Short mmCIF file of all heavy atoms in Angstrom, two decimals:
data_model
loop_
_atom_site.label_atom_id
_atom_site.label_comp_id
_atom_site.label_asym_id
_atom_site.label_seq_id
_atom_site.Cartn_x
_atom_site.Cartn_y
_atom_site.Cartn_z
N GLN A 81 -3.09 -3.70 -12.16
CA GLN A 81 -2.53 -3.44 -13.49
C GLN A 81 -1.25 -4.25 -13.73
O GLN A 81 -0.44 -3.88 -14.58
CB GLN A 81 -2.27 -1.95 -13.67
CG GLN A 81 -3.55 -1.14 -13.81
CD GLN A 81 -3.34 0.16 -14.56
OE1 GLN A 81 -3.46 0.23 -15.78
NE2 GLN A 81 -3.01 1.20 -13.82
N PHE A 82 -1.09 -5.33 -13.00
CA PHE A 82 0.04 -6.23 -13.22
C PHE A 82 -0.51 -7.66 -13.28
O PHE A 82 -1.69 -7.90 -13.01
CB PHE A 82 1.10 -6.08 -12.12
CG PHE A 82 0.57 -6.22 -10.72
CD1 PHE A 82 0.51 -7.46 -10.10
CD2 PHE A 82 0.14 -5.09 -10.01
CE1 PHE A 82 0.01 -7.58 -8.80
CE2 PHE A 82 -0.34 -5.20 -8.71
CZ PHE A 82 -0.40 -6.45 -8.11
N HIS A 83 0.35 -8.60 -13.64
CA HIS A 83 -0.08 -9.98 -13.85
C HIS A 83 0.38 -10.86 -12.69
O HIS A 83 1.56 -11.23 -12.62
CB HIS A 83 0.48 -10.52 -15.18
CG HIS A 83 -0.17 -9.93 -16.38
ND1 HIS A 83 -1.31 -10.45 -16.94
CD2 HIS A 83 0.14 -8.83 -17.11
CE1 HIS A 83 -1.67 -9.72 -17.99
NE2 HIS A 83 -0.81 -8.72 -18.11
N PRO A 84 -0.52 -11.27 -11.80
CA PRO A 84 -0.12 -12.12 -10.67
C PRO A 84 0.15 -13.56 -11.06
O PRO A 84 0.75 -14.32 -10.30
CB PRO A 84 -1.33 -12.03 -9.74
CG PRO A 84 -2.50 -11.85 -10.66
CD PRO A 84 -1.97 -10.99 -11.79
N GLU A 85 -0.31 -13.96 -12.26
CA GLU A 85 -0.22 -15.36 -12.66
C GLU A 85 1.15 -15.77 -13.18
O GLU A 85 1.46 -16.96 -13.26
CB GLU A 85 -1.29 -15.67 -13.72
CG GLU A 85 -1.09 -14.99 -15.07
CD GLU A 85 -1.67 -13.59 -15.16
OE1 GLU A 85 -1.85 -12.95 -14.12
OE2 GLU A 85 -1.93 -13.14 -16.29
N VAL A 86 2.01 -14.79 -13.55
CA VAL A 86 3.32 -15.12 -14.11
C VAL A 86 4.35 -15.22 -12.99
O VAL A 86 4.23 -14.57 -11.95
CB VAL A 86 3.76 -14.09 -15.18
CG1 VAL A 86 2.75 -14.01 -16.30
CG2 VAL A 86 3.97 -12.71 -14.57
N THR A 87 5.38 -16.01 -13.24
CA THR A 87 6.39 -16.22 -12.19
C THR A 87 7.18 -14.96 -11.89
O THR A 87 7.74 -14.83 -10.79
CB THR A 87 7.36 -17.34 -12.61
OG1 THR A 87 7.93 -17.02 -13.88
CG2 THR A 87 6.65 -18.68 -12.70
N HIS A 88 7.23 -14.01 -12.83
CA HIS A 88 7.96 -12.76 -12.60
C HIS A 88 7.32 -11.92 -11.49
O HIS A 88 7.99 -11.07 -10.90
CB HIS A 88 8.04 -11.93 -13.88
CG HIS A 88 8.72 -12.64 -15.01
ND1 HIS A 88 10.01 -13.11 -14.92
CD2 HIS A 88 8.30 -12.97 -16.26
CE1 HIS A 88 10.35 -13.70 -16.06
NE2 HIS A 88 9.32 -13.62 -16.89
N THR A 89 6.02 -12.12 -11.24
CA THR A 89 5.38 -11.48 -10.08
C THR A 89 5.62 -12.41 -8.90
O THR A 89 4.95 -13.44 -8.75
CB THR A 89 3.88 -11.26 -10.32
OG1 THR A 89 3.72 -10.36 -11.43
CG2 THR A 89 3.22 -10.66 -9.10
N THR A 90 6.59 -12.06 -8.08
CA THR A 90 7.13 -13.03 -7.12
C THR A 90 6.12 -13.47 -6.06
O THR A 90 6.21 -14.58 -5.55
CB THR A 90 8.40 -12.47 -6.44
OG1 THR A 90 8.11 -11.17 -5.93
CG2 THR A 90 9.54 -12.36 -7.44
N GLU A 91 5.16 -12.61 -5.72
CA GLU A 91 4.16 -12.98 -4.72
C GLU A 91 2.76 -13.05 -5.33
O GLU A 91 1.76 -12.89 -4.64
CB GLU A 91 4.19 -11.99 -3.55
CG GLU A 91 5.50 -12.06 -2.77
CD GLU A 91 5.56 -11.08 -1.60
OE1 GLU A 91 5.22 -9.89 -1.78
OE2 GLU A 91 5.94 -11.52 -0.51
N GLY A 92 2.73 -13.32 -6.64
CA GLY A 92 1.46 -13.39 -7.35
C GLY A 92 0.56 -14.50 -6.84
O GLY A 92 -0.66 -14.35 -6.76
N LYS A 93 1.16 -15.65 -6.48
CA LYS A 93 0.36 -16.76 -5.96
C LYS A 93 -0.33 -16.37 -4.66
O LYS A 93 -1.47 -16.77 -4.40
CB LYS A 93 1.23 -18.00 -5.75
CG LYS A 93 1.69 -18.67 -7.04
CD LYS A 93 2.48 -19.94 -6.73
CE LYS A 93 2.94 -20.62 -8.01
NZ LYS A 93 3.73 -21.85 -7.72
N ASN A 94 0.38 -15.59 -3.84
CA ASN A 94 -0.21 -15.15 -2.57
C ASN A 94 -1.41 -14.25 -2.83
O ASN A 94 -2.44 -14.35 -2.15
CB ASN A 94 0.82 -14.39 -1.73
CG ASN A 94 1.95 -15.29 -1.27
OD1 ASN A 94 1.83 -16.51 -1.32
ND2 ASN A 94 3.04 -14.70 -0.82
N LEU A 95 -1.29 -13.35 -3.81
CA LEU A 95 -2.40 -12.45 -4.13
C LEU A 95 -3.61 -13.25 -4.62
O LEU A 95 -4.74 -13.01 -4.19
CB LEU A 95 -1.96 -11.43 -5.17
CG LEU A 95 -2.96 -10.32 -5.50
CD1 LEU A 95 -2.22 -9.02 -5.86
CD2 LEU A 95 -3.87 -10.70 -6.66
N LEU A 96 -3.39 -14.20 -5.52
CA LEU A 96 -4.49 -15.02 -6.01
C LEU A 96 -5.09 -15.87 -4.89
O LEU A 96 -6.30 -16.09 -4.85
CB LEU A 96 -4.02 -15.90 -7.17
CG LEU A 96 -3.73 -15.15 -8.49
CD1 LEU A 96 -3.09 -16.08 -9.51
CD2 LEU A 96 -5.02 -14.55 -9.06
N ARG A 97 -4.24 -16.35 -3.99
CA ARG A 97 -4.75 -17.10 -2.84
C ARG A 97 -5.66 -16.22 -1.99
O ARG A 97 -6.74 -16.66 -1.55
CB ARG A 97 -3.59 -17.62 -1.99
CG ARG A 97 -4.06 -18.47 -0.80
CD ARG A 97 -2.90 -18.92 0.07
NE ARG A 97 -2.02 -19.84 -0.65
CZ ARG A 97 -0.78 -19.54 -1.03
NH1 ARG A 97 -0.28 -18.34 -0.78
NH2 ARG A 97 -0.05 -20.42 -1.67
N ASN A 98 -5.24 -14.97 -1.76
CA ASN A 98 -6.07 -14.05 -0.99
C ASN A 98 -7.43 -13.86 -1.64
O ASN A 98 -8.47 -13.86 -0.97
CB ASN A 98 -5.38 -12.69 -0.86
CG ASN A 98 -4.20 -12.73 0.09
OD1 ASN A 98 -4.08 -13.62 0.93
ND2 ASN A 98 -3.30 -11.76 -0.04
N PHE A 99 -7.42 -13.71 -2.97
CA PHE A 99 -8.69 -13.48 -3.67
C PHE A 99 -9.57 -14.73 -3.65
O PHE A 99 -10.75 -14.68 -3.28
CB PHE A 99 -8.44 -13.04 -5.11
CG PHE A 99 -9.71 -12.81 -5.90
CD1 PHE A 99 -10.50 -11.69 -5.66
CD2 PHE A 99 -10.12 -13.71 -6.87
CE1 PHE A 99 -11.69 -11.49 -6.35
CE2 PHE A 99 -11.30 -13.51 -7.58
CZ PHE A 99 -12.08 -12.39 -7.31
N VAL A 100 -8.98 -15.86 -4.02
CA VAL A 100 -9.78 -17.08 -4.21
C VAL A 100 -10.23 -17.68 -2.88
O VAL A 100 -11.40 -18.06 -2.72
CB VAL A 100 -8.97 -18.10 -5.03
CG1 VAL A 100 -9.67 -19.45 -5.07
CG2 VAL A 100 -8.73 -17.59 -6.45
N LEU A 101 -9.32 -17.78 -1.92
CA LEU A 101 -9.64 -18.48 -0.68
C LEU A 101 -10.28 -17.57 0.37
O LEU A 101 -11.18 -17.99 1.10
CB LEU A 101 -8.39 -19.13 -0.10
CG LEU A 101 -7.68 -20.17 -0.98
CD1 LEU A 101 -6.56 -20.84 -0.22
CD2 LEU A 101 -8.66 -21.20 -1.53
N HIS A 102 -9.80 -16.34 0.47
CA HIS A 102 -10.28 -15.47 1.54
C HIS A 102 -11.42 -14.56 1.12
O HIS A 102 -12.42 -14.43 1.82
CB HIS A 102 -9.11 -14.64 2.09
CG HIS A 102 -7.98 -15.48 2.60
ND1 HIS A 102 -8.16 -16.56 3.43
CD2 HIS A 102 -6.64 -15.42 2.36
CE1 HIS A 102 -6.99 -17.12 3.71
NE2 HIS A 102 -6.05 -16.45 3.06
N ILE A 103 -11.28 -13.93 -0.05
CA ILE A 103 -12.34 -13.02 -0.50
C ILE A 103 -13.52 -13.80 -1.09
O ILE A 103 -14.67 -13.55 -0.75
CB ILE A 103 -11.78 -12.01 -1.52
CG1 ILE A 103 -10.73 -11.12 -0.85
CG2 ILE A 103 -12.89 -11.16 -2.13
CD1 ILE A 103 -9.95 -10.23 -1.80
N CYS A 104 -13.23 -14.78 -1.94
CA CYS A 104 -14.31 -15.59 -2.54
C CYS A 104 -14.75 -16.73 -1.62
O CYS A 104 -15.80 -17.34 -1.85
CB CYS A 104 -13.85 -16.16 -3.88
SG CYS A 104 -13.45 -14.92 -5.13
N GLU A 105 -13.93 -17.03 -0.61
CA GLU A 105 -14.23 -18.08 0.37
C GLU A 105 -14.48 -19.44 -0.28
O GLU A 105 -15.42 -20.16 0.07
CB GLU A 105 -15.43 -17.67 1.25
CG GLU A 105 -15.19 -16.39 2.05
CD GLU A 105 -16.36 -16.02 2.92
OE1 GLU A 105 -17.50 -16.47 2.64
OE2 GLU A 105 -16.16 -15.28 3.90
N CYS A 106 -13.62 -19.78 -1.23
CA CYS A 106 -13.73 -21.09 -1.88
C CYS A 106 -13.17 -22.17 -0.96
O CYS A 106 -12.12 -21.99 -0.33
CB CYS A 106 -12.95 -21.10 -3.19
SG CYS A 106 -13.70 -20.14 -4.51
N SER A 107 -13.85 -23.29 -0.90
CA SER A 107 -13.29 -24.45 -0.21
C SER A 107 -12.43 -25.20 -1.22
O SER A 107 -12.74 -25.26 -2.40
CB SER A 107 -14.40 -25.34 0.32
OG SER A 107 -15.38 -25.57 -0.66
N GLN A 108 -11.34 -25.76 -0.74
CA GLN A 108 -10.37 -26.39 -1.65
C GLN A 108 -10.75 -27.84 -1.91
O GLN A 108 -10.12 -28.78 -1.44
CB GLN A 108 -8.97 -26.26 -1.04
CG GLN A 108 -8.50 -24.80 -0.93
CD GLN A 108 -7.22 -24.66 -0.16
OE1 GLN A 108 -7.20 -24.71 1.05
NE2 GLN A 108 -6.13 -24.46 -0.88
N ASP A 109 -11.81 -28.01 -2.72
CA ASP A 109 -12.36 -29.35 -2.93
C ASP A 109 -12.06 -29.91 -4.32
O ASP A 109 -12.62 -30.92 -4.72
CB ASP A 109 -13.88 -29.34 -2.70
CG ASP A 109 -14.60 -28.27 -3.50
OD1 ASP A 109 -13.95 -27.58 -4.32
OD2 ASP A 109 -15.82 -28.10 -3.31
N TRP A 110 -11.17 -29.24 -5.07
CA TRP A 110 -10.78 -29.73 -6.40
C TRP A 110 -9.51 -30.57 -6.24
O TRP A 110 -8.40 -30.08 -6.30
CB TRP A 110 -10.56 -28.55 -7.34
CG TRP A 110 -10.06 -28.88 -8.72
CD1 TRP A 110 -8.87 -28.52 -9.26
CD2 TRP A 110 -10.74 -29.60 -9.76
NE1 TRP A 110 -8.74 -28.98 -10.55
CE2 TRP A 110 -9.89 -29.64 -10.88
CE3 TRP A 110 -11.99 -30.22 -9.83
CZ2 TRP A 110 -10.25 -30.27 -12.07
CZ3 TRP A 110 -12.34 -30.85 -11.01
CH2 TRP A 110 -11.49 -30.86 -12.12
N THR A 111 -9.68 -31.87 -5.97
CA THR A 111 -8.56 -32.76 -5.71
C THR A 111 -8.59 -33.94 -6.67
O THR A 111 -9.65 -34.26 -7.24
CB THR A 111 -8.62 -33.31 -4.27
OG1 THR A 111 -9.81 -34.12 -4.14
CG2 THR A 111 -8.66 -32.17 -3.25
N PRO A 112 -7.46 -34.61 -6.88
CA PRO A 112 -7.45 -35.78 -7.78
C PRO A 112 -8.47 -36.84 -7.38
O PRO A 112 -9.20 -37.35 -8.23
CB PRO A 112 -6.02 -36.29 -7.65
CG PRO A 112 -5.22 -35.10 -7.29
CD PRO A 112 -6.11 -34.27 -6.41
N ASP A 113 -8.53 -37.17 -6.10
CA ASP A 113 -9.46 -38.22 -5.66
C ASP A 113 -10.91 -37.80 -5.90
O ASP A 113 -11.75 -38.62 -6.30
CB ASP A 113 -9.24 -38.54 -4.19
CG ASP A 113 -7.93 -39.28 -3.95
OD1 ASP A 113 -7.37 -39.81 -4.94
OD2 ASP A 113 -7.47 -39.32 -2.80
N GLN A 114 -11.21 -36.52 -5.64
CA GLN A 114 -12.57 -36.03 -5.88
C GLN A 114 -12.91 -36.10 -7.36
O GLN A 114 -14.01 -36.51 -7.75
CB GLN A 114 -12.70 -34.59 -5.37
CG GLN A 114 -14.08 -33.97 -5.52
CD GLN A 114 -14.35 -33.37 -6.89
OE1 GLN A 114 -13.41 -32.99 -7.60
NE2 GLN A 114 -15.61 -33.31 -7.28
N PHE A 115 -11.94 -35.71 -8.21
CA PHE A 115 -12.18 -35.76 -9.66
C PHE A 115 -12.43 -37.19 -10.12
O PHE A 115 -13.36 -37.46 -10.89
CB PHE A 115 -10.99 -35.17 -10.41
CG PHE A 115 -11.11 -35.30 -11.90
CD1 PHE A 115 -11.80 -34.36 -12.64
CD2 PHE A 115 -10.55 -36.39 -12.57
CE1 PHE A 115 -11.94 -34.49 -14.02
CE2 PHE A 115 -10.67 -36.53 -13.94
CZ PHE A 115 -11.37 -35.57 -14.67
N ILE A 116 -11.59 -38.10 -9.67
CA ILE A 116 -11.73 -39.50 -10.09
C ILE A 116 -13.08 -40.07 -9.67
O ILE A 116 -13.80 -40.69 -10.47
CB ILE A 116 -10.58 -40.35 -9.51
CG1 ILE A 116 -9.25 -39.95 -10.17
CG2 ILE A 116 -10.85 -41.84 -9.70
CD1 ILE A 116 -8.03 -40.51 -9.46
N GLU A 117 -13.44 -39.84 -8.42
CA GLU A 117 -14.70 -40.37 -7.91
C GLU A 117 -15.90 -39.82 -8.67
O GLU A 117 -16.78 -40.57 -9.11
CB GLU A 117 -14.83 -40.04 -6.42
CG GLU A 117 -16.08 -40.59 -5.76
CD GLU A 117 -16.16 -40.22 -4.29
OE1 GLU A 117 -15.13 -39.83 -3.70
OE2 GLU A 117 -17.27 -40.31 -3.73
N SER A 118 -15.93 -38.50 -8.85
CA SER A 118 -17.09 -37.89 -9.51
C SER A 118 -17.12 -38.23 -11.00
O SER A 118 -18.19 -38.42 -11.59
CB SER A 118 -17.09 -36.37 -9.31
OG SER A 118 -15.94 -35.78 -9.90
N THR A 119 -15.94 -38.33 -11.63
CA THR A 119 -15.89 -38.64 -13.06
C THR A 119 -16.37 -40.06 -13.33
O THR A 119 -17.15 -40.30 -14.26
CB THR A 119 -14.46 -38.45 -13.61
OG1 THR A 119 -14.08 -37.08 -13.44
CG2 THR A 119 -14.39 -38.81 -15.09
N ILE A 120 -15.90 -41.01 -12.55
CA ILE A 120 -16.32 -42.40 -12.75
C ILE A 120 -17.82 -42.54 -12.50
O ILE A 120 -18.53 -43.21 -13.26
CB ILE A 120 -15.51 -43.35 -11.84
CG1 ILE A 120 -14.05 -43.39 -12.31
CG2 ILE A 120 -16.11 -44.75 -11.83
CD1 ILE A 120 -13.12 -44.18 -11.40
N ALA A 121 -18.32 -41.87 -11.46
CA ALA A 121 -19.77 -41.92 -11.19
C ALA A 121 -20.55 -41.31 -12.36
O ALA A 121 -21.58 -41.86 -12.78
CB ALA A 121 -20.08 -41.16 -9.90
N GLY A 122 -20.06 -40.20 -12.90
CA GLY A 122 -20.72 -39.56 -14.04
C GLY A 122 -20.68 -40.43 -15.28
O GLY A 122 -21.67 -40.51 -16.03
#
């Protein structure tokens, strides 16, 4: 019932990291080089 995305939530980034990386098990593959390579190919 609070907003982790705003800077006033001091550890909000940690909470979102827990959800996105650990609970959802996302690999961190959204990088500038990956975007450039896939965009130019597309």
Side-chain angles (χ1 to χ4, degrees):
Q81 289 205 90
F82 53 89
H83 288 272
E85 67 274 23
V86 301
T87 55
H88 301 302
T89 297
T90 51
E91 295 180 312
K93 289 183 180 180
N94 294 344
L95 186 148
L96 288 172
R97 182 183 294 111
N98 288 340
F99 179 73
V100 171
L101 301 187
H102 302 313
I103 296 171
C104 298
E105 299 181 339
C106 288
S107 47
Q108 295 172 282
D109 53 5
W110 176 245
T111 64
D113 289 343
Q114 182 276 335
F115 175 85
I116 291 168
E117 182 180 343
S118 62
T119 299
I120 291 174

